[in-house]
Amino acid sequence: MLFAVTALDKPDHLPVRMENRPAHLDFLKANLDKIKIGGPVLDPDGQSPVGSLLIIEAGDRESVEALLANDPYAKAGLFGSVEIRPWTWVIGQPD
């Protein structure tokens, strides 16, 4: 099952994001078998990251929560909110 995860940063936490970015990228790379798509959500001007969007393949929501708990961004307290929703891939699905 696929899950869409939207995590929005706490206000004024760009320094926290940037400090933890290398470890976060290592975390993503280490979990490519589960994380199918990922990238930052940008501010309205498209200039600065203000959150993250991930598509994760997992058996259930609890597995997604367990994975996300190990993300360096989460451990650093970056996110003000995190939404996890089941998701179906329709358009642009890879072969």
Side-chain angles (χ1 to χ4, degrees):
M1 175 180 281
L2 294 171
F3 292 86
V5 177
T6 305
L8 298 179
D9 299 357
K10 292 176 183 171
D12 302 317
H13 271 59
L14 183 58
V16 174
R17 173 176 280 274
M18 300 316 292
E19 286 171 19
N20 290 280
R21 188 168 189 266
H24 170 72
L25 293 175
D26 288 344
F27 166 80
L28 295 178
K29 291 174 189 172
N31 289 284
L32 286 176
D33 59 322
K34 299 172 196 82
I35 300 171
K36 303 305 177 187
I37 295 176
V41 175
L42 303 177
D43 66 10
D45 295 330
Q47 299 301 310
S48 297
V50 295
S52 298
L53 174 66
L54 301 171
I55 302 298
I56 297 175
E57 186 171 28
D60 53 39
R61 181 187 173 98
E62 291 77 21
S63 298
V64 175
E65 291 171 346
L67 176 68
L68 294 175
N70 290 311
D71 184 339
Y73 281 170
K75 289 181 176 184
L78 175 63
F79 301 127
S81 67
V82 177
E83 289 188 10
I84 302 169
R85 297 177 185 229
W87 185 73
T88 300
W89 201 332
V90 176
I91 300 295
Q93 187 171 7
D95 297 334

